[in-house]
Amino acid sequence: MIAYHPSLRDRQLLGLKDMGAAELQSILKRAAYWEAHEEKRIPVLEHRFIANMFFENSTRTRFSFEMAQKRLGSQVLNFAAAASSVEKGESVYDTVRTLESMGIDAGVIRLKPIGVLEELAKHVKVPLINAGDGNNEHPTQALLDLYTMQKQFGEIRGLTVSIVGDIKHSRVARSNLWALKALGANVKFCAPHSMQAAELEEHAPYVTMDEALDADVVMMLRVQLERHAEGVLKSADEYRAQYGLTTQRAAKMKPHAIIMHPAPVNRDVEIDSELVEAPNSRIFPQMQNGVPIRMAVVERALR
Ligand code: CP
């Protein structure tokens, strides 16, 4: 038998823009495999060391990666920029190369600037997994979103997914767009002019809020206040009135349609607080689905 040794390129996960349907489906299938395991700990990666390097804050992504890594039995090193030599001016490149020299087998990384991860991956010899880079990509978030949709509807092909809100500043919107299109879904965007990304218009049309509600999935995005230049958001109340998923608007959704949001949620800005845990909301199940997805991605990096 000839042993298959996947290349570093096949094990890293920088984004979903160039990932084909077969590879996406294979990750979703593997996540279902891990989700079906009742044991909390399945130590298949016991002798592997993974560093979680977060240069930007996170709750869901960081902890679900750590949960996934620990469930697979790997040794986890958590790096927090605020408690590191980054505070003394050390660069991202030197930080990652430092951890690599110490012998990590893979790295999960979240960064603020765009383009740095792509460059890093050319110089680092261990697989890197993108945990969100600027407004570029957030591949594991989109994978868990796909997984949530697939669990709900059986298949993604033919679904209509409306992504509503701060498209311009959203890595979640971009990763979802690429993956949903690859799997044959119809994607619509809805955003105020100041939050539209003109370069994405050729891939998905911008529609009105009423048209956006006519979908199988209504995915609300967080208003990314931390990435805004002054003037993008005039008032939270005005935003809610024009683009928020209010209870009145949610009542117009199709009976089978679901609400999604990557979280953290600005309650009563992009979505009314009472909808966050409504029967048709999948916001907390999305977080739950993040663990088996990240188990599949970590395993793929270290196979
Ligand atoms: N959805 C998401 O990426 O959440 P965190 O910023 O908490 O990781």
Side-chain angles (χ1 to χ4, degrees), residues 12-293:
Q12 68 191 10
L13 181 62
L14 304 187
L16 301 183
K17 190 166 188 189
D18 300 316
M19 190 176 280
E23 181 73 357
L24 289 166
Q25 286 293 3
S26 131
I27 296 172
L28 300 184
K29 193 170 165 193
R30 197 62 181 168
Y33 168 86
W34 286 122
E35 193 184 5
H37 271 72
E38 281 180 14
E39 319 90 281
K40 263 237 156 111
R41 203 164 165 277
I42 314 125
V44 293
L45 298 178
E46 208 157 21
H47 304 292
R48 301 306 201 105
F49 289 76
I50 307 180
N52 294 321
M53 301 171 280
F54 280 71
F55 295 85
E56 192 186 66
N57 293 346
S58 167
T59 299
R60 273 145 293 274
T61 313
R62 196 180 92 57
F63 282 96
S64 66
F65 263 114
E66 187 169 348
M67 188 76 169
Q69 293 154 355
K70 287 184 168 165
R71 286 194 62 190
L72 293 170
S74 59
Q75 310 299 319
V76 182
L77 289 83
N78 284 314
F79 164 88
S84 75
S85 290
V86 168
E87 286 295 294
K88 301 178 204 160
E90 191 166 31
S91 68
V92 170
Y93 175 79
D94 284 344
T95 304
V96 176
R97 288 282 293 117
T98 299
L99 290 165
E100 186 188 25
S101 352
M102 291 174 186
I104 59 167
D105 297 296
V108 173
I109 185 161
R110 173 172 282 193
L111 291 166
K112 274 198 179 88
I114 299 175
V116 173
L117 181 59
E118 195 79 24
E119 206 45 43
L120 259 179
K122 290 182 192 154
H123 301 282
V124 174
K125 294 186 179 55
V126 297
L128 295 177
I129 299 170
N130 184 356
D133 65 327
N135 66 357
N136 180 41
E137 286 236 29
H138 193 347
T140 58
Q141 175 68 46
L143 285 164
L144 73 88
D145 292 339
L146 297 175
Y147 187 61
T148 304
M149 291 178 215
Q150 195 170 66
K151 278 173 70 171
Q152 180 72 29
F153 297 107
E155 75 167 322
I156 288 164
R157 177 164 298 281
L159 288 181
T160 297
V161 180
S162 293
I163 305 181
V164 182
D166 195 357
I167 309 285
K168 183 174 181 171
H169 302 95
S170 176
R171 52 197 177 207
V172 176
R174 285 169 177 77
S175 287
N176 265 292
L177 172 68
W178 309 132
L180 284 165
K181 300 281 280 188
L183 291 176
N186 307 304
V187 181
K188 301 191 256 190
F189 285 148
C190 177
H193 193 259
S194 62
M195 295 181 187
Q196 292 183 6
E199 77 281 7
L200 299 180
E201 200 160 1
E202 62 180 289
H203 304 286
Y206 283 94
V207 299
T208 63
M209 198 59 194
D210 270 348
E211 288 166 312
L213 296 174
D214 183 20
D216 303 300
V217 177
V218 177
M219 183 186 290
M220 302 306 295
L221 296 176
R222 189 169 71 87
V223 177
Q224 305 270 345
L225 295 167
E226 73 281 14
R227 290 188 206 140
H228 282 188
E230 217 168 293
V232 174
L233 184 67
K234 288 194 184 67
S235 117
D237 286 344
E238 195 182 310
Y239 183 86
R240 175 180 174 269
Q242 291 181 15
Y243 291 94
L245 187 62
T246 58
T247 48
Q248 288 86 342
R249 288 202 175 105
K252 294 186 195 166
M253 286 171 59
K254 293 178 176 179
H256 71 269
I258 58 169
I259 299 168
M260 295 177 66
H261 188 306
V265 172
N266 294 310
R267 285 178 183 251
D268 297 321
V269 181
E270 67 265 1
I271 182 169
D272 279 8
S273 189
E274 60 208 276
L275 294 174
V276 172
E277 293 182 74
N280 62 342
S281 165
R282 295 294 174 272
I283 297 175
F284 282 96
Q286 282 173 264
M287 298 176 207
Q288 188 178 343
N289 292 335
V291 176
I293 279 292

